[in-house]
Amino acid sequence: MVLILNGCWSKKELNELSLITSMAIDKEDNEYLITLLIVVPSEATLDASGRSSPAMILSSKGVNICDAFRKSTLSLSRAPNLTHVQNVIISEEIAREGISDVLDSLIRDEQLRPNVNVFVAKDKKAKEILSVYTTIENSVSTKIMQLIVNSQTNYSLTHPVTVLQLINEIVNDSQEAHVPGITVEGDLEKGMTQDSPQRVEPYVNVKLVPYAVFQKDKMIGWLDDETSKMLNLVNNEVIQTMLSAKIDDNKYYVLEVRKAKSKIKLKVKDNKPSFDIQVKIEGIICQADCTMDLSLPKNIEKIEQKLVDELQAQIEKSINTIQTTYKSDVIGFGTIIHRTKPKLWKKIKKDWDEIFPEVEFTVQVQVNIKQQGSIINPINKDIK
């Protein structure tokens, strides 16, 4: 009994560890700059004094990722621990050069979980995003984690991409990767001061931005909001969002999407693939800038048709943009061919980069308005 109940030989007490919750990776002087966001134990408890920040950042440089990370121990009194890392932010400079080395280092670490979220810093250094004070959440790491969850659930502009998912897409020859972006808006210098979150209007705001698009392991550009949202819709990544159809100047029909489902069907003729994209939307009216009687089914059908026409045009435009501007199959057309017609994929995969921009597709949209909202008729109707 003494031999088998002798405890855990590799145990580490909390007072021996530095708990890291986020990492930022930049390039500086041709070396890697690793920035760690570390929890301050005395300020992370319920009875914290509040006199100092609940987290601190520590940066170190090295010729490679591993070297830079190990050098951080020269300034830490406790052993760094990566089991609680929530986010990894990679600078745009590194993303454009290629992220395979970074990902290789991350996935090999036995402490880092493969479901850690990955972001690309836009217009800012990755370190700067971890350096600001935030509101509501007591740590920028927690705020970033909550931002991506809320974005996916309530607006669907972006969705989380993990280290493992990103690696799978980069090494996969049938689909390219896309990674959510993140930036800081406002006065960055003042945002690094402790009084920033105490203001009604903070100096800075950490914000998600649409996807960084990749070819293999190199970033090639940024999507805009509309293209990013339509990509999520086609890829069945929308939970809830808002869709608009313009009626006139500053006049819109707005639908709050409660359910969205898409299906992509492959068609092959003379060994030439094409795709039929079917999108079904259910939701409630969020805004109706009109004077129609919305208690009449025929008027609801008019709004549905207007939304169908607008949404179909947006999807077609977004896919054309992805094909012609980026020429990167982030939609996954190649994966569908690979999965359903493996023999055809074997023939065309070596030329897929040239075939993808020319692939033909059709879009079919169905919109079903379930409710008019809390009121039936538009206020404009009563005013008229």
Side-chain angles (χ1 to χ4, degrees):
M1 294 292 291
V2 172
L3 292 176
I4 65 175
L5 297 177
N6 60 354
C8 184
W9 67 271
S10 62
K11 71 178 179 68
K12 293 284 186 181
E13 299 294 343
L14 282 176
N15 59 5
E16 300 173 346
L17 300 174
S18 293
L19 298 181
I20 300 166
T21 56
S22 284
M23 294 177 62
I25 306 174
D26 293 284
K27 270 287 188 71
E28 190 175 281
D29 301 327
N30 208 31
E31 289 187 317
Y32 284 99
L33 177 69
I34 304 296
T35 302
L36 308 177
L37 188 69
I38 305 169
V39 173
V40 178
S42 61
E43 295 297 327
T45 59
L46 292 176
D47 56 349
S49 66
R51 289 190 295 269
S52 63
S53 171
M56 60 166 281
I57 63 169
L58 177 68
S59 298
S60 55
K61 287 198 296 186
V63 294
N64 53 56
I65 300 294
C66 295
D67 181 51
F69 178 73
R70 289 298 175 181
K71 281 184 177 178
S72 66
T73 60
L74 300 176
S75 304
L76 281 174
S77 58
R78 302 180 182 185
N81 184 277
L82 297 174
T83 56
H84 292 271
V85 171
Q86 298 172 310
N87 318 292
V88 174
I89 304 173
I90 301 172
S91 71
E92 184 174 343
E93 178 186 1
I94 293 176
R96 290 187 180 275
E97 290 178 358
I99 59 173
S100 58
D101 292 344
V102 173
L103 295 176
D104 186 276
S105 176
L106 294 175
I107 201 66
R108 286 182 187 277
D109 194 292
E110 60 184 10
Q111 291 184 350
L112 193 78
R113 293 172 290 113
N115 62 343
V116 171
N117 290 327
V118 184
F119 301 87
V120 176
K122 184 177 183 181
D123 299 330
K124 296 287 187 291
K125 291 182 178 180
K127 174 183 177 179
E128 292 173 337
I129 295 170
L130 294 186
S131 302
V132 299
Y133 284 87
T134 61
T135 57
I136 302 179
E137 309 297 342
N138 64 354
S139 167
V140 67
S141 182
T142 305
K143 179 160 188 175
I144 293 170
M145 189 72 176
Q146 291 301 118
L147 282 176
I148 194 64
V149 171
N150 281 334
S151 173
Q152 181 187 31
T153 305
N154 298 311
Y155 193 57
S156 295
L157 185 66
T158 57
H159 68 82
V161 173
T162 66
V163 171
L164 184 59
Q165 181 182 344
L166 181 55
I167 291 172
N168 287 336
E169 290 180 352
I170 284 175
V171 300
N172 190 345
D173 58 3
S174 61
Q175 183 169 358
E176 302 290 0
H178 54 292
V179 178
I182 191 165
T183 191
V184 174
E185 294 181 338
D187 190 326
L188 187 61
E189 185 176 346
K190 290 183 178 179
M192 295 180 182
T193 59
Q194 197 170 356
D195 66 327
S196 178
Q198 299 173 0
R199 291 168 50 90
V200 175
E201 185 179 358
Y203 291 120
V204 295
N205 185 38
V206 178
K207 181 182 178 181
L208 293 176
V209 293
Y211 297 112
V213 179
F214 284 75
Q215 281 184 346
K216 303 305 179 186
D217 72 324
K218 292 181 174 60
M219 176 185 163
I220 58 173
W222 296 96
L223 297 184
D224 59 24
D225 286 16
E226 182 180 299
T227 306
S228 185
K229 189 186 290 188
M230 293 304 107
L231 173 62
N232 285 337
L233 189 60
V234 170
N235 282 344
N236 233 0
E237 294 283 355
V238 168
I239 299 175
Q240 292 188 59
T241 189
M242 294 290 178
L243 298 174
S244 303
K246 193 170 185 178
I247 310 170
D248 203 348
D249 291 340
N250 299 319
K251 301 291 183 181
Y252 293 89
Y253 295 128
V254 184
L255 184 72
E256 180 182 342
V257 176
R258 293 295 180 85
K259 185 177 179 181
K261 188 175 182 180
S262 64
K263 185 182 294 184
I264 304 177
K265 292 184 177 180
L266 170 65
K267 296 180 179 180
V268 180
K269 185 177 181 181
D270 299 328
N271 283 332
K272 185 178 180 181
S274 63
F275 296 89
D276 182 17
I277 302 170
Q278 299 175 357
V279 179
K280 294 183 179 180
I281 300 290
E282 291 182 5
I284 65 175
I285 296 175
C286 179
Q287 183 175 328
D289 298 334
C290 64
T291 58
M292 292 192 301
D293 185 351
L294 297 186
S295 65
L296 300 177
K298 65 177 183 179
N299 289 333
I300 296 295
E301 290 174 3
K302 289 180 181 179
I303 297 177
E304 288 176 342
Q305 188 58 51
K306 183 71 175 177
L307 288 165
V308 165
D309 295 340
E310 184 70 22
L311 186 55
Q312 182 170 322
Q314 289 178 4
I315 293 174
E316 290 174 350
K317 177 186 174 183
S318 298
I319 296 178
N320 282 325
T321 298
I322 291 170
Q323 285 182 303
T324 57
T325 303
Y326 301 99
K327 300 180 181 179
S328 176
D329 186 10
V330 292
I331 306 166
F333 284 164
T335 299
I336 295 171
I337 301 172
H338 190 190
R339 185 173 63 244
T340 57
K341 298 287 184 180
K343 291 183 179 179
L344 174 61
W345 177 248
K346 191 175 181 179
K347 293 178 181 178
I348 66 174
K349 68 176 182 178
K350 64 180 182 297
D351 300 317
W352 184 241
D353 289 343
E354 288 73 37
I355 295 173
F356 170 71
E358 305 297 328
V359 167
E360 296 181 356
F361 63 91
T362 58
V363 179
Q364 299 177 15
V365 178
Q366 180 181 330
V367 174
N368 185 7
I369 296 177
K370 290 291 189 180
Q371 299 178 31
Q372 295 93 333
S374 299
I375 60 174
I376 302 296
N377 286 320
I379 293 176
N380 281 338
K381 181 178 185 300
D382 295 331
I383 294 175
K384 295 290 183 181

